[in-house]
Each structure stands twice: as structure tokens, then as C-alpha cells.
Amino acid sequence: MTPTPALVRALRLISALLIIILAAFGLYTLLRGRPGETPARKTETIALSPVSRGEILNEFRLITVERQYRIPVLGRSYKPLPEPGSGVMAQFTRDLLGGRESVPGTTTNLVYEMVTTVTVGIDLAKLQETDIENSDVVTTLTLPAPEVMSVVHDPTKSRIFSQDRPALPYLDNSAQLLEELQKTGNLKHRSEAEADEALMAKAKDEARQSLKGLLEKVHPGREIRILFEPEPKNPLPTP
């Protein structure tokens, strides 16, 4: 008896379904393993290229931020009377003038509103190889603490706020007093910047963003962590 076309088509369909079922079962067995067995897993770890000090210094030496300060400084100068003990006449003069220290009419008072631009930065030249820790996929950098790099006086924006000249013009010491006030102002503004937590935090943020941007671009997939050395508690002023 010759099979009918419909029967042939049905047999072919059944065969195709059996092949698909067997293939699926074989793939399932390959992935899951035999019943009762723990599925096999193969893992691989890849060590990413490490971060080096050289590549950082090739891009950055200093990372800086600036802030302008406008702080008045006060000064006073006068011609002193002779020191006590330098003679009977000197002591008599002091007693006559009520024990004062300056010669009347010689005092100069000056209030100088001083404007400076202070630069604070991270000196990456101080970065050591031991400050860079590389694991397979994580780099931890410990950067130097931010410090005051420069204090630049702006004479065009600064001004003498008030001034009392001596009664005797030839004893006017304003020029020398102003020069001394500018030196004092530089130190004062430096000290102000060293105590400026917001400015120091801004310097750290700038360094963190700049370095992370560079290193994550050069080392895709590597996690970059940036720490900072402790800041000195009582930094010494630099003239």
C-alpha cells in the first residue's frame, strides 16, 4: 500500500519535531550538566594595565585654582623718643610728655585695602611611586595636600583707604610704611588662603576631576580612587 501525500507530510513533520526536541535537550544537557551535578562554570580575570607616575606627570605638573582676596592692613610709624635710661634729659622729656613713646607730630597712620590673587594647587612633582597602588582593576592614588603656590599683589585694584600724615612733612614715612604693609599683607593673605577650607576643597575637586578624567580615558575599565595626604595643621608662612 502506497502512503498518501498527507501521510508523508505528517511523517516529515514528526521527524522534524523530533530532531528539534533532541537538539534542544542536548543543548540543555550541555549547559546544565547531568541530573544531580553542579553546573560547570569557567571564569576568567583580566589584569588591566597599571597606572604609572610617568604618565600622570606627562600630562600634569600642577593642578591649580585661584581666588582673589581683598583684606585691609593697618600700619603706624613714628619717630620714637629716646629710650629710658639713655640719659637724664631723655627721661625728663618722657616724663614731660606723659610717658609717651613717640615724638609729637611725627606719627603716620595708614589703612591699605590690599587686593591679591592667591593660587592654590597640587604639586604632582611630589607624587611618589609608593603613592600609586595598582590592583588588577583598581588604582588608588594618594596625592599631596593642596598648598599655596603664590600670592600676587594687584596694585591697580588696591588702594589707600585712609591716611593720617605727620604734622611735620619732612618726617612723613608713608612710602616706606606702604612697602612694609604690602609685605605684611602678602603674609596675611597667604595665611588666610591656608585656612580657607572652601578653597582647599576646590583644589582637591579640581585635581580629582582632572586626574580621573585622564586616567579613566587612558585605562578604560579601571576604577580610579583618589585620596589626599593630611594637610599640615599649622603651616609656616612663606615670605
Side-chain angles (χ1 to χ4, degrees):
M1 179 178 177
T2 303
T4 64
L7 180 59
V8 172
R9 287 195 299 272
L11 290 174
R12 287 177 179 173
L13 180 59
I14 292 172
S15 298
L17 289 173
L18 287 174
I19 291 172
I20 292 173
I21 292 172
L22 290 173
F25 180 75
L27 181 61
Y28 175 80
T29 302
L30 178 64
L31 296 176
R32 296 290 299 173
R34 296 177 181 177
E37 290 183 345
T38 302
R41 293 286 185 274
K42 183 178 180 180
T43 59
E44 294 182 353
T45 58
I46 299 175
L48 303 175
S49 60
V51 173
S52 68
R53 178 177 180 270
E55 67 180 298
I56 294 174
L57 296 186
N58 282 340
E59 295 293 332
F60 297 103
R61 290 285 175 170
L62 292 172
I63 299 177
T64 61
V65 294
E66 292 182 346
R67 175 164 293 177
Q68 190 175 89
Y69 288 91
R70 184 185 297 269
I71 303 174
V73 284
L74 292 74
R76 179 171 177 259
S77 69
Y78 55 86
K79 182 174 178 57
L81 285 166
E83 292 291 331
S86 58
V88 176
M89 193 63 189
Q91 187 61 50
F92 173 77
T93 303
R94 279 180 169 270
D95 292 341
L96 182 65
L97 296 175
R100 62 187 300 165
E101 297 181 348
S102 61
V103 175
T106 66
T107 300
T108 300
N109 288 305
L110 196 61
V111 179
Y112 187 57
E113 189 177 56
M114 185 168 173
V115 177
T116 61
T117 298
V118 178
T119 301
V120 169
I122 311 293
D123 184 359
L124 292 177
K126 295 181 178 180
L127 185 69
Q128 303 296 318
E129 294 289 355
T130 52
D131 297 325
I132 306 174
E133 298 180 10
N134 288 296
S135 68
D136 287 349
V137 295
V138 178
T139 294
T140 301
L141 300 177
T142 302
L143 301 183
E147 58 186 297
V148 176
M149 300 293 180
S150 66
V151 180
V152 179
H153 172 220
D154 188 341
T156 61
K157 294 182 180 179
S158 304
R159 67 189 181 106
I160 295 175
F161 189 74
S162 66
Q163 182 176 15
D164 295 327
R165 295 182 179 276
L168 304 175
Y170 63 89
L171 291 175
D172 190 350
N173 196 34
S174 297
Q176 184 178 350
L177 180 58
L178 180 59
E179 184 179 342
E180 293 298 322
L181 284 178
Q182 290 171 350
K183 293 178 182 178
T184 300
N186 274 352
L187 293 175
K188 182 177 179 65
H189 289 203
R190 174 180 290 272
S191 176
E192 193 76 18
E194 288 170 338
D196 192 333
E197 295 181 1
L199 182 59
M200 294 299 174
K202 185 178 179 182
K204 290 181 179 180
D205 287 342
E206 182 66 28
R208 188 178 290 110
Q209 292 175 17
S210 298
L211 286 176
K212 281 180 70 69
L214 167 69
L215 297 177
E216 288 174 352
K217 182 178 180 180
V218 177
H219 299 270
R222 180 169 282 280
E223 181 184 349
I224 307 298
R225 301 174 182 172
I226 297 182
L227 308 176
F228 290 88
E229 293 178 355
E231 296 175 22
K233 297 297 182 182
N234 296 301
L236 296 176
T238 302

